[in-house]
Amino acid sequence: PCVMGALRRPGGEMVSTSQELSRRGVWKPQKLTGSPFDPFVRAVFPALAARIPRQITPNAITLIGVAATIVAGCAVALAGRVPGLLFVAVGLVLVNWVADTLDGVLARQRSQASRLGDFLDHAFDAVTVVALTVGPAFSGLVHPELSLLQGVLILLCFAITYKGEQATGVYELLTLGPTEVRFTLCGILSAAYLLPGPLFTLWGHPLQVLDLSALAGIFWASVYCAVLLTRYIRRLREIDG
């Protein structure tokens, strides 16, 4: 039986799912990404990592990245009164992308990859989602319930992905990965500045740029969750035989 990522061996010993599947020769960690930005990352970021002083650790870069998104969320929250802060948020989201990409490259380059680093990376991804969906909910630029529902669904995608990776050894990434999502967000925040006010009214509710992006995010995250569940269930059935 398997409970919360653990398997009980016949002798009664509890081991992690990944350990037991590895012992059976079934669990082979792999990452399915296919991001169109991968060639750029491979060409630029190793050279950038080589220039970073030894005193700066991969985990420090991870912290810089999550701090940038927390401040970005605060900037968006205040953008209803100071619209120019939307561009500050764009810059901070790009800082987060660089940090989130660079920390892993640096860790591998220095042979400093660790369980702590992997945990922080995943945990702070969740913090990023909270910051960038709760912040807009206080801005007056989006219906709060739409932004918050979008955040909940994205966190659900994270939960399914990380639990599925733990159980199968495969990290599924469909259509839009973290890089594409961040660049899309930068475009949305820029559009919110360039196209202020309601664009049209739906069932008596005026909708602004961030409302439309939240609706699109809710739809995308719902489909993403359904596809992830289907794929991981199929993989686990194959593993279980």
Side-chain angles (χ1 to χ4, degrees):
C2 177
V3 180
M4 294 298 290
L7 288 167
R8 187 182 299 278
R9 287 180 177 168
E13 178 189 2
M14 293 295 293
V15 296
S16 72
T17 307
S18 58
Q19 284 178 326
E20 177 64 10
L21 294 178
S22 179
R23 185 185 68 83
R24 298 178 190 174
V26 174
W27 193 79
K28 297 176 181 175
Q30 55 180 305
K31 194 169 184 176
L32 305 182
T33 55
S35 170
F37 295 96
D38 283 349
F40 173 79
V41 170
R42 287 193 293 267
V44 173
F45 278 79
L48 181 60
R51 288 171 162 57
I52 294 177
R54 298 292 299 184
Q55 295 88 343
I56 300 178
T57 66
N59 289 344
I61 293 176
T62 302
L63 290 171
I64 291 171
V66 73
T69 49
I70 291 172
V71 178
C74 294
V76 176
L78 297 172
R81 285 176 284 179
V82 187
L85 288 175
L86 288 169
F87 283 119
V88 173
V90 168
L92 290 168
V93 169
L94 291 176
V95 169
N96 172 262
W97 170 68
V98 171
D100 192 48
T101 305
L102 187 59
D103 59 1
V105 174
L106 184 64
R108 290 188 292 273
Q109 194 175 86
R110 295 181 180 177
S111 299
Q112 293 179 340
S114 65
R115 292 180 184 273
L116 173 61
D118 184 62
F119 169 77
L120 290 177
D121 194 47
H122 288 336
F124 288 155
D125 280 346
V127 172
T128 292
V129 171
V130 171
L132 295 179
T133 54
V134 172
F138 288 95
S139 68
L141 301 176
V142 61
H143 287 75
E145 60 274 16
L146 293 180
S147 188
L148 295 175
L149 177 58
Q150 177 184 218
V152 168
L153 289 172
I154 293 173
L155 289 175
L156 180 58
C157 289
F158 281 12
I160 295 170
T161 299
Y162 298 148
K163 190 61 184 176
E165 179 191 15
Q166 182 187 39
T168 67
V170 175
Y171 183 84
E172 293 272 9
L173 208 57
L174 314 176
T175 61
L176 291 179
T179 297
E180 291 82 5
V181 168
R182 287 181 177 91
F183 287 172
T184 300
L185 177 59
C186 289
I188 292 168
L189 293 175
S190 300
Y193 177 83
L194 297 172
L195 299 170
L199 299 180
F200 58 87
T201 300
L202 180 65
W203 297 318
H205 297 282
L207 299 180
Q208 303 182 65
V209 168
L210 293 185
D211 288 306
L212 298 179
S213 74
L215 287 169
I218 289 168
F219 174 77
W220 169 79
S222 300
V223 173
Y224 202 109
C225 284
V227 174
L228 281 175
L229 276 172
T230 302
R231 290 192 177 189
Y232 278 125
I233 288 171
R234 185 175 68 246
R235 289 182 185 279
L236 287 168
R237 282 179 173 171
E238 292 173 356
I239 292 171
D240 289 339

